[in-house]
Amino acid sequence: MSEPKKLFVKTYGCQMNVYDSERMAEALGSEGYEQVGTAEEADMILLNTCHIREKAAEKVYSELGRMRPLREANPDLKIGVAGCVAQAEGEEIMNRQPMVDLVVGPQTYHRLPEMARKVEAGEKALDTDFPEEDKFAHLPKARKPKRGPTAFLTVQEGCDKFCAFCVVPYTRGAEVSRPADRLLREANELVERGVREITLLGQNVNAYHGQGDGGEWGLAKLIREMAKVDGLERIRFTTSHPNDMEDDLIAAHGDCEKLMPYLHLPVQSGSDKILKAMNRKHTAEEYIRLIERIRAARPDLLLSGDFIVGFPGETEADFQATMDLVETVGYGQAYSFKYSSRPGTPAAEKPPVDDATSSERLQRLQALLSKQQYAVQDSMVGREVQVLFEKDGRLPGQLIGKSEYLHAVHALAPQNLKGEIAKVRIVESAKNSLKGELI
Ligand code: 5AD
Ligand code: SF4
């Protein structure tokens, strides 16, 4: 057998990209590529990119710039760009960075093996189609090595919501849900390989409507059926849209034990005027009522969200409405961003808020969100949580894992608890983790 060729994949952006990178490495595995940890040792470098905000795409171009010396040292090195920047920019990437050999969108990475053969033969390869066939059905039956206790599983892809600021409906395409029987089979396989926790992924995951036994299943039905998989202990899902939080999914938070008490439910803004301009199709009040219903089903649920400040037309009063909503709702954790104009989206046509104002608002919002985050973390001190230990901690003898609330928790624990769930009492709250003691 010939030497394995070496593949380095660098992932940007969301968890869907993390999942896609694993699949791309598997697809290229069938072409004799083995993954390595640094760009320096690679025969092929794949950047799996994100287009959600300006900086994300710019980072890719500067990363490509930094790769020039590697390419000069090794003219046989192949460089590929995958993901949403690839989808949005297509051939433009090769024009701007001629050393790029391969451009592949998120919907066509099952064609990577043939594309790799093409670039190995010295040609360029570009594929940003939205094909009819199911890319998941074409992935190789990879070797099934043991793996860590947590895994992502893409159940739905694409988005039909067309929020006025967002590129996802253009880069990832229309909503497609994968068939339930395949997902249950994959969940079983993951568990056989050592997985204890599965996070169901989708750009708009709670709009899941895949073909299942006896008709279409919603996300709640999928979760309830997946919960029957023996050995699977925890289920999470991300990311959701408020308008797709159906009654059964809310109920599942109360009665499905394996569904973890954590929900990422972005609202983006607290101003009805801005929500309307964003095409979110709900009001701040409706979101607050929805949270009340979810919390009635699961009172200890930890809520996470996304916020955009400085959306075109946002006044100080609109921003204050966002601050008020945050105060009312109370988040355990949240992401907040300055609005970034994305070419081709409706909001890009509107006059922007000036940058200094946006920056100042972002600071105020982040201060409030951090305060809430630390208050929730501090409130965990003294409480018992269940930690799924994933790996060694920073200090000798420590393991680190996640509580049911997705807090990172470290504790002195024996190695044999790696991959297991153990009861831990939280004794200290630090910036990005909690310290616990085994009970
Ligand atoms: N500008 C700033 N933030 C954005 N997001 C999506 N598009 C943009 C944009 N153009 C944020 C939203 C979304 C998260 C994934 O990224 O808050 O929920
Ligand atoms: Fe983008 Fe999410 Fe809106 Fe879809 S629902 S357009 S992915 S922000």
Side-chain angles (χ1 to χ4, degrees):
M1 244 181 75
S2 58
E3 276 275 290
K5 292 167 279 187
K6 299 198 168 87
L7 171 71
F8 175 67
V9 186
K10 180 157 180 177
T11 309
Y12 299 82
C14 64
Q15 290 154 327
M16 178 86 73
N17 267 10
V18 175
Y19 177 89
D20 286 350
S21 290
E22 290 170 7
R23 303 292 83 73
M24 288 194 269
E26 281 173 8
L28 287 170
S30 68
E31 285 299 299
Y33 283 91
E34 200 179 82
Q35 254 185 294
V36 292
T38 64
E40 284 68 25
E41 42 182 331
D43 301 302
M44 184 186 291
I45 296 173
L46 262 187
L47 302 182
N48 191 12
T49 63
C50 171
H51 198 50
I52 199 94
R53 285 170 294 277
E54 219 126 23
K55 284 207 191 99
E58 282 317 308
K59 266 194 223 158
V60 173
Y61 280 111
S62 37
E63 182 75 28
L64 285 169
R66 280 196 295 278
M67 280 172 181
R68 186 177 299 276
L70 291 179
R71 172 66 159 251
E72 279 160 5
N74 172 14
D76 290 335
L77 172 66
K78 304 300 176 199
I79 297 179
V81 178
C84 290
V85 176
Q87 191 64 43
E89 305 258 296
E91 211 175 349
E92 189 51 33
I93 298 177
M94 289 173 173
N95 296 336
R96 204 166 144 180
Q97 274 292 355
M99 65 175 188
V100 170
D101 304 288
L102 180 156
V103 172
V104 61
Q107 303 309 328
T108 45
Y109 57 65
H110 57 290
R111 296 178 182 160
L112 266 175
E114 40 182 305
M115 295 176 79
R117 268 171 262 150
K118 221 170 142 185
V119 300
E120 282 166 15
E123 291 171 56
K124 300 252 178 199
L126 170 84
D127 195 339
T128 52
D129 281 358
F130 283 104
E132 286 292 307
E133 76 262 21
D134 174 4
K135 69 180 175 193
F136 298 101
H138 287 72
L139 291 170
K141 285 266 153 272
R143 291 156 287 125
K144 300 285 189 226
K146 269 272 178 208
R147 48 176 299 163
T150 63
F152 294 127
L153 177 54
T154 294
V155 304
Q156 177 278 341
E157 207 177 344
C159 184
D160 298 341
K161 290 279 188 285
F162 290 92
C163 298
F165 51 81
C166 185
V167 288
V168 166
Y170 311 97
T171 59
R172 291 275 173 169
E175 273 176 22
V176 179
S177 295
R178 302 182 60 204
D181 59 339
R182 275 201 65 116
L183 295 171
L184 292 175
R185 205 159 60 230
E186 284 176 29
N188 270 296
E189 279 175 15
L190 287 170
V191 169
E192 277 165 28
R193 293 168 65 192
V195 169
R196 295 284 164 269
E197 171 179 310
I198 293 181
T199 302
L200 307 177
L201 291 182
Q203 264 88 33
N204 199 2
V205 72
N206 58 342
Y208 176 81
H209 54 98
Q211 206 50 48
D213 236 9
E216 266 192 8
W217 290 10
L219 186 65
K221 170 84 172 157
L222 180 67
I223 289 170
R224 290 181 192 285
E225 291 301 315
M226 204 167 278
K228 293 178 187 163
V229 173
D230 244 358
L232 179 62
E233 309 291 347
R234 295 175 156 192
I235 301 172
R236 306 180 186 276
F237 61 90
T238 196
T239 286
S240 299
H241 191 288
N243 290 357
D244 292 314
M245 278 312 287
E246 283 170 354
D247 293 347
D248 195 21
L249 188 55
I250 295 173
H253 277 284
D255 62 34
C256 180
E257 259 179 51
K258 293 185 181 179
L259 184 57
M260 292 293 101
Y262 177 98
L263 178 64
H264 183 65
L265 197 61
V267 64
Q268 315 294 357
S269 168
S271 150
D272 288 342
K273 181 190 96 191
I274 296 297
L275 286 169
K276 191 157 197 293
M278 285 177 163
N279 193 30
R280 293 290 292 182
K281 298 199 169 87
H282 63 75
T283 63
E285 187 63 24
E286 282 162 347
Y287 178 83
I288 290 167
R289 294 286 156 267
L290 173 63
I291 299 298
E292 283 170 357
R293 285 173 56 216
I294 301 166
R295 283 189 169 140
R298 183 77 202 226
D300 64 337
L301 183 111
L302 189 145
L303 194 70
S304 163
D306 292 343
F307 296 89
I308 296 177
V309 303
F311 184 82
E314 185 188 74
T315 62
E316 176 59 28
D318 294 319
F319 173 69
Q320 199 50 55
T322 300
M323 296 288 277
D324 293 346
L325 178 139
V326 171
E327 292 278 13
T328 305
V329 170
Y331 289 86
Q333 196 271 339
Y335 304 92
S336 47
F337 313 101
K338 233 182 342 181
Y339 168 73
S340 159
S341 171
R342 308 283 64 210
T345 60
E349 310 292 318
K350 301 201 186 154
V353 169
D354 80 272
D355 193 59
T357 305
S358 295
S359 295
E360 187 264 338
R361 286 178 190 164
L362 185 64
Q363 259 184 21
R364 277 150 71 198
L365 176 59
Q366 289 187 337
L368 175 59
L369 289 169
S370 299
K371 194 180 89 185
Q372 292 192 341
Q373 178 184 332
Y374 297 134
V376 170
Q377 283 181 202
D378 292 348
S379 77
M380 299 305 296
V381 174
R383 279 180 62 180
E384 281 177 20
V385 294
Q386 304 276 348
V387 177
L388 172 56
F389 285 113
E390 293 171 32
K391 55 185 183 200
D392 292 327
R394 255 186 316 120
L395 302 180
Q398 264 185 357
L399 293 182
I400 187 154
K402 298 276 165 55
S403 77
E404 42 291 52
Y405 306 102
L406 211 57
H407 284 132
V409 179
H410 59 84
L412 290 175
Q415 282 291 318
N416 63 4
L417 281 185
K418 223 185 259 179
E420 303 292 329
I421 294 175
K423 226 188 226 182
V424 167
R425 189 187 322 280
I426 303 301
V427 294
E428 213 177 292
S429 159
K431 199 157 184 225
N432 291 311
S433 65
L434 300 174
K435 180 176 170 187
E437 286 172 0
L438 283 184
I439 295 172

